[in-house]
């Protein structure tokens, strides 16, 4: 896997060919008494020195890691990688799908924990220059969607338009989604299921021509891929509503810039069109939130905020986001989205969201 990194065809036949070439090279090395060497590109969607000249890119590797049987600490990693690769090969040959959890339970004593399998799957994607779904490895979907949208997945049809405030699960096999039709004016992404349910109860989508999505916390891959597909197809403005705390901010950043764990796929998963609708630290005063809704930042909150502030993309691409995070640290308090509805239950859906979108009050 030497040379310039670029994505290749992800057809099953091509991937199976690459798997055979990879394993054949390992066998030849072992047969000739050589220690096999596995070179894995390393990717990063940000650096942590915003004061330096940054050359971060979303599609170029940032060096490589060499795995070899000569290093004892690498032996187990190579064993795991080859076991997972064998499972992936079988999935592709049989045209079947499996979850990361399914793979873990095939060799739980060897894998020891789920994160070991997750890392191996990511490394296989890098070696084969493909995305996880190309390996027929699927995530257990948890995202929800409602609003002015109609689409189909394989033979199943999703008609949200007839009942815009009814939740539908986001498809796991996003590559099979087609026939997307919408009369929505924008897409709203909300961090939490509780807020999603509040909007559904308030008939928000009936009163506002929009699509509402939640990843129920940190978004899974199907949710991010589905959102990317909707934006590419419908070309709608997209807004994100998260808690005013470091974790909400990190979820917002995951949607817009991608996650470090899957930095090799950031270009396909990130949403650079994402606008931050709220909640802003300044909203606590602007909307006169009750004092009991304002919680002090914990030591862990402060550490997480300081670490996020070091990410280069904040200064490079969204400096106003960085200023808001700095303001949160300066004030030392956080609050949840629901705090905005502390006095009037429908305030979020009737006033806050519509006024912000109509008034262009977002970052």
């Amino acid at each position: 896997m030497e040379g310039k990194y670029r994505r290749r065809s992800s057809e099953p036949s091509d991937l199976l060919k690459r798997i055979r070439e990879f394993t054949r090279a390992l066998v030849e090395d072992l047969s000739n008494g050589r220690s096999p060497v596995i070179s894995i590109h390393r990717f990063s969607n940000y650096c942590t020195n915003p004061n330096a000249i940054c050359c971060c890119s979303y599609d170029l590797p940032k060096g490589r890691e060499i795995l070899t049987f000569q290093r004892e600490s690498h032996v187990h990693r190579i064993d795991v990688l080859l076991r997972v690769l064998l499972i992936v090969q079988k999935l592709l040959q049989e045209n079947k799908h499996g979850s990361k959890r399914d793979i873990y339970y095939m060799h739980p004593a060897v894998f020891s924990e789920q994160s070991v399998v997750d890392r191996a799957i990511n490394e296989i994607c890098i070696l084969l220059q493909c995305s996880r779904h190309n390996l027929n490895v699927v995530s257990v979907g948890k995202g929800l969607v409602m609003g002015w949208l109609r689409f189909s997945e394989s033979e199943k049809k999703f008609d949200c338009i007839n009942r815009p405030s009814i939740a539908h699960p986001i498809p796991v096999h996003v590559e099979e989604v087609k026939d997307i039709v919408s009369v929505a004016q924008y897409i709203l992404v909300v961090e939490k299921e509780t807020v999603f349910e509040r909007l559904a109860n308030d008939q928000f989508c009936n009163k506002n021509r929009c699509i509402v999505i939640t990843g129920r916390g940190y978004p899974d891959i199907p949710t991010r891929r589905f959102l990317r597909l909707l934006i590419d197809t419908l070309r709608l403005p997209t807004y994100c509503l998260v808690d005013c705390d470091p974790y909400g901010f990190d979820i917002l950043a995951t949607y817009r810039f991608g996650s470090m764990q899957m930095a090799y796929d950031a270009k396909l998963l990130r949403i650079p069109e994402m606008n931050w609708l709220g909640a802003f630290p300044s909203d606590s005063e602007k909307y006169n939130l009750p004092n009991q809704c304002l919680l002090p930042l914990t030591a862990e909150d402060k550490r997480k905020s300081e670490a996020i502030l070091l990410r280069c993309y904040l200064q490079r691409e969204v400096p106003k986001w960085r200023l808001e995070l700095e303001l949160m640290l300066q004030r030392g308090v956080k609050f949840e989205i629901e705090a905005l509805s502390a006095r009037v239950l429908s305030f979020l859906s009737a006033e806050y969201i519509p006024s912000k979108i109509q008034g262009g009050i977002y970052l």
Side-chain angles (χ1 to χ4, degrees):
M1 300 296 174
E2 300 293 331
K4 184 177 179 180
Y5 189 91
R6 58 185 176 83
R7 289 196 171 261
R8 302 180 184 177
S9 169
S10 297
E11 290 294 324
S13 58
D14 294 319
L15 292 176
L16 286 169
K17 180 180 178 182
R18 268 175 266 164
I19 291 173
R20 287 193 292 270
E21 290 172 351
F22 176 78
T23 52
R24 186 184 301 116
L26 291 182
V27 171
E28 287 179 358
D29 281 341
L30 290 170
S31 300
N32 293 320
R34 297 190 299 267
S35 175
V37 173
I38 302 174
S39 176
I40 303 175
H41 286 293
R42 285 297 166 217
F43 291 80
S44 172
N45 59 350
Y46 64 83
C47 63
T48 55
N49 186 5
N51 297 319
I53 297 175
C54 175
C55 299
C56 285
S57 170
Y58 289 101
D59 56 355
L60 295 176
K62 311 294 188 301
R64 65 183 67 209
E65 183 178 11
I66 304 298
L67 301 184
T68 171
F69 284 115
Q70 293 179 335
R71 294 188 61 179
E72 186 176 344
S73 61
H74 289 174
V75 173
H76 182 253
R77 278 184 62 186
I78 295 174
D79 179 28
V80 169
L81 189 148
L82 294 178
R83 287 174 186 265
V84 174
L85 188 64
L86 185 62
I87 295 168
V88 166
Q89 183 179 32
K90 189 173 182 180
L91 288 174
L92 291 171
Q93 288 172 335
E94 298 178 358
N95 194 27
K96 294 181 178 179
H97 291 80
S99 69
K100 296 186 301 178
R101 204 63 179 161
D102 292 333
I103 294 174
Y104 167 77
Y105 278 114
M106 290 185 180
H107 302 288
V110 176
F111 296 150
S112 73
E113 56 185 27
Q114 184 66 55
S115 61
V116 172
V117 173
D118 296 352
R119 179 171 66 177
I121 292 170
N122 288 342
E123 289 175 344
I124 290 170
C125 287
I126 294 171
L127 286 168
L128 301 182
Q129 299 179 24
C130 66
S131 298
R132 185 187 295 174
H133 67 274
N134 298 129
L135 304 180
N136 285 2
V137 177
V138 297
S139 299
V140 177
K142 61 175 184 173
L144 299 172
V145 61
M146 64 179 175
W148 296 82
L149 177 68
R150 184 183 297 130
F151 62 92
S152 62
E153 178 206 11
S154 189
E155 300 302 318
K156 188 175 181 181
K157 296 186 183 300
F158 294 79
D159 191 349
C160 311
I161 295 178
N162 284 334
R163 302 176 71 188
S165 292
I166 297 298
H168 296 263
I170 286 176
V172 172
H173 302 292
V174 179
E175 64 277 5
E176 296 181 5
V177 172
K178 59 182 181 179
D179 302 326
I180 298 173
V181 176
S182 177
V183 292
Q185 296 175 340
Y186 61 87
I187 299 171
L188 175 64
V189 179
V190 297
E191 172 189 345
K192 301 154 72 173
E193 185 177 9
T194 53
V195 175
F196 184 91
E197 290 175 349
R198 176 74 266 153
L199 297 179
N201 290 335
D202 290 347
Q203 302 291 300
F204 181 80
C205 291
N206 293 61
K207 302 168 186 175
N208 301 270
R209 284 192 176 272
C210 65
I211 298 166
V212 179
I213 288 175
T214 181
R216 298 202 274 187
Y218 281 92
D220 54 29
I221 294 172
T223 298
R224 291 161 63 191
R225 290 184 63 217
F226 184 70
L227 180 58
R228 177 73 269 161
L229 177 62
L230 290 186
I231 293 172
D232 288 343
T233 303
L234 303 174
R235 303 293 178 182
L236 293 175
T238 305
Y239 309 96
C240 191
L241 187 63
V242 295
D243 283 340
C244 183
D245 65 22
Y247 292 91
F249 191 94
D250 197 26
I251 289 169
L252 170 73
T254 298
Y255 276 113
R256 175 145 180 175
F257 300 103
S259 63
M260 186 65 86
Q261 291 80 6
M262 298 190 68
Y264 64 89
D265 233 5
K267 191 173 182 181
L268 299 178
L269 293 174
R270 65 192 292 257
I271 313 293
E273 301 90 345
M274 181 74 75
N275 298 292
W276 183 16
L277 191 67
F280 302 147
S282 53
D283 285 344
S284 62
E285 291 183 359
K286 181 177 180 180
Y287 296 99
N288 194 26
L289 298 188
N291 288 332
Q292 63 266 29
C293 293
L294 304 179
L295 306 173
L297 292 177
T298 65
E300 176 59 29
D301 288 333
K302 293 175 182 178
R303 283 193 293 269
K304 187 171 185 64
S305 298
E306 290 165 354
I308 294 174
L309 282 170
L310 292 175
R311 298 178 187 178
C312 63
Y313 55 55
L314 292 186
Q315 189 61 38
R316 186 179 68 238
E317 298 187 41
V318 284
K320 290 183 179 179
W321 288 20
R322 195 174 192 275
L323 291 175
E324 289 291 336
L325 187 56
E326 288 174 338
L327 180 60
M328 184 194 302
L329 263 178
Q330 178 186 332
R331 293 186 174 183
V333 295
K334 60 185 179 180
F335 62 89
E336 295 184 281
I337 302 168
E338 292 90 334
L340 294 162
S341 301
R343 291 192 172 91
V344 180
L345 201 57
S346 62
F347 178 77
L348 191 66
S349 59
E351 299 290 337
Y352 184 84
I353 296 173
S355 65
K356 281 213 159 194
I357 291 177
Q358 292 167 15
I361 308 171
Y362 47 82
L363 301 176

